[in-house]
Amino acid sequence: MKRPIAAIAGTGRGIPPTVVTNYDFPAMGIDTTHEWIVERTGIVERHLAREGETTCSMATDAGRIAMERAGVHPGELDTIILATATPDRLLPSTAVDVQASLGASRASAFDLSAACSGWLYGMTVAEGMIMSGVIETALVIGAEKLSSIVDWQDRSTCVLFGDGAGAVVLKRAKTGKGILSAYMRSDGTLAELLYRPEGGATVPITADVLERRSHLVKMAGREVFKHAVRSMSDAADRALDGARLTSADIDLLIPHQANTRIIEATAKHAGIPMDKVYVNVDRYGNTSSASIPIAIDEAIENGRIKEGSTVLLVAFGAGLTWASMVVRF
Ligand code: UT7
C-alpha cells in the first residue's frame, strides 16, 4: 500500500478584472516606459484591485473555486492558512475574514507572513499538520493587494507589482501523488533589502511617517536580484535532492514570478529548458505570495500540468526568505 501523503485536490484563483499596462503609467504621472519595464522585468501588464476589492475578497474567490474543484464543502475544512504581506487590517488576521466569508465554521484560520515565499511556507506547514494527524484538509491561499503598500511615487518599485490570489485544497491521500519534498530558509540579516521601514508597532503610523512615505515598500533592487538568483538556484537543488529526483524528472518548473531574468537564471542553474518553465509574469507582474498558486491554477487549466506531472516550485522574497517543493499531480 502506498504511504499517505498530502496532495493537491483542487486549485483556484481570484484575479481583479482591472488591467493596467506599462503604457498606462506615463498618464499616471510615473516617469517610465514600456520598453524599460519589459527589458528589465518581462512585465507587460498587471491586474490591480479597485475600491471594494480586498485581500479577503480575492482570497475568498480563489478559495471557493479551489474547494468546488476539490469537492470539499466549507464545513469540511480543518484549517485555512492565508499567506499574505498585505492583510486587510492588522488584528485579527485576514484568514478569519476568509473563514467567515466561506462559512468554514469548523476551521482554524491564521495568516502567515513570509512575503513571496509565504505560500510555499504555508503549504509546508499544512503538509506537516496533515501528516502529523492534526488535520485532514487545509485550504492554503496566497493573496495580495500590493497596490496598497507600494509607493506610487517610486518608479523603481511601483511598476513591478500586481494584485491577486491563488489557492489550493490540500488533503491527506493514498495515491502516491502529492508533496514529495519541501525546503524552507530565511536570512533576517538581509531584512532591510526589501521592507516597509515604519508604520508597525515600533514606529506606528503618524503624520510624519505618512509624510516621509516610510510605511511603503522600499527595495534595493539590484541586491535583491543577486540574492534571488542564488537562493532560488540553491532551493531548486534542495527540493530535487529531497525528492531523490534530477532535473530530467521535472515536467514543469514554476518559479516565483518576479522577473523573467531571475526565472531564466534559476532554470539555467537547475538545467531545465525554458519550454518546461511556466512564465506569466508578463500578465500579472509580481503578485508575491499569490504568484505560484495562480501559476499552478493556470497551468492545470491550460494543460501544462497533467495527471502524473512532476512539478518543481521555487520561491524567493522579503525576509529574505526562500523555499521550494516538488509536487506530483
Ligand atoms: O519578489 C521578490 C523580490 N523582488 C525581486 O525579485 C526584484 C529583484 N530586482 C529586480 O528585478 C531588478 O533589480 C529591478 C527590475 C527592480 C531593477 O532592474 P535593474 O536592472 O536592477 O535596474 P536598477 O535598479 O539598477 O536601475 C537602473 C536604472 C537607474 O537609472 P540610472 O541610475 O542608471 O540612471 C534607475 O533610476 O533604471 C532606472 N529606473 C527606471 N527607469 C525607467 C528604475 N526604475 C525605472 C523605471 N523606468 N520604472
Side-chain angles (χ1 to χ4, degrees):
M1 194 169 74
K2 291 196 167 107
R3 75 177 178 90
I5 62 175
I8 291 177
T11 66
R13 61 185 189 273
I15 308 297
T18 304
V19 174
V20 173
T21 75
N22 294 343
Y23 293 105
D24 294 323
F25 286 131
M28 294 160 68
I30 298 163
D31 178 19
T32 191
T33 61
H34 168 75
E35 289 70 26
W36 189 94
I37 300 170
V38 169
E39 189 192 314
R40 304 288 174 126
T41 70
I43 299 166
V44 174
E45 59 188 37
R46 71 287 292 140
H47 292 252
L48 297 186
R50 293 299 181 212
E51 189 85 24
E53 290 166 337
T54 63
T55 297
C56 176
S57 70
M58 294 183 282
T60 302
D61 290 347
R64 199 167 275 139
I65 296 167
M67 286 164 60
E68 272 168 27
R69 292 191 180 144
V72 165
H73 298 289
E76 294 173 73
L77 279 186
D78 297 313
T79 223
I80 298 170
I81 301 178
L82 175 64
T84 188
T86 51
D88 289 328
R89 56 183 178 216
L90 295 182
L91 185 76
S93 68
T94 301
V96 297
D97 292 335
V98 174
Q99 174 193 15
S101 302
L102 291 172
S105 52
R106 278 184 55 241
S108 62
F110 58 95
D111 287 0
L112 189 151
S113 173
C116 305
S117 311
W119 184 79
L120 279 181
Y121 271 50
M123 287 287 283
T124 308
V125 170
E127 185 208 14
M129 291 167 75
I130 289 170
M131 298 318 295
S132 63
V134 175
I135 62 165
E136 287 278 327
T137 306
L139 181 63
V140 187
I141 309 171
E144 302 288 3
K145 190 174 171 179
L146 294 162
S147 57
S148 69
I149 63 162
V150 299
D151 185 345
W152 288 100
Q153 292 179 13
D154 176 6
R155 68 174 183 173
S156 70
T157 51
C158 71
V159 302
L160 305 175
F161 297 99
D163 300 330
V168 309
V169 172
L170 198 65
K171 281 183 77 165
R172 200 176 168 84
K174 285 188 182 170
T175 57
K177 292 173 190 163
I179 297 174
L180 304 184
S181 69
Y183 175 74
M184 300 156 58
R185 283 288 298 275
S186 312
D187 184 353
T189 66
L190 300 171
E192 294 186 3
L193 292 182
L194 175 47
Y195 74 139
R196 298 171 69 189
E198 298 184 321
T202 305
V203 186
I205 291 270
T206 60
D208 284 347
V209 169
L210 296 178
E211 172 77 23
R212 53 180 179 259
R213 309 180 76 75
S214 55
H215 59 303
L216 301 172
V217 169
K218 313 280 174 219
M219 178 168 73
R222 221 172 257 187
E223 278 302 298
V224 171
F225 188 102
K226 278 189 256 168
H227 287 286
V229 172
R230 202 173 305 146
S231 306
M232 287 176 72
S233 297
D234 169 60
D237 292 345
R238 301 294 186 126
L240 287 173
D241 288 351
R244 295 191 171 77
L245 297 176
T246 70
S247 54
D249 300 310
I250 296 301
D251 298 304
L252 191 67
L253 166 64
I254 301 185
H256 168 52
Q257 307 283 315
N259 183 314
T260 43
R261 290 185 290 146
I262 297 174
I263 293 171
E264 283 163 6
T266 304
K268 190 173 173 200
H269 172 90
I272 296 176
M274 283 306 289
D275 63 351
K276 288 187 172 181
V277 181
Y278 199 82
V279 180
N280 65 8
V281 68
D282 52 326
R283 290 179 288 115
Y284 291 103
N286 181 346
T287 58
S288 191
S289 68
S291 90
I292 292 179
I294 289 172
I296 292 174
D297 188 51
E298 278 196 350
I300 290 173
E301 213 167 77
N302 63 31
R304 299 279 306 269
I305 295 177
K306 301 182 192 69
E307 190 87 12
S309 291
T310 304
V311 181
L312 173 60
L313 311 171
V314 188
F316 169 86
L320 299 178
T321 57
W322 58 105
S324 55
M325 185 169 271
V326 175
V327 182
R328 182 154 299 140
F329 282 80

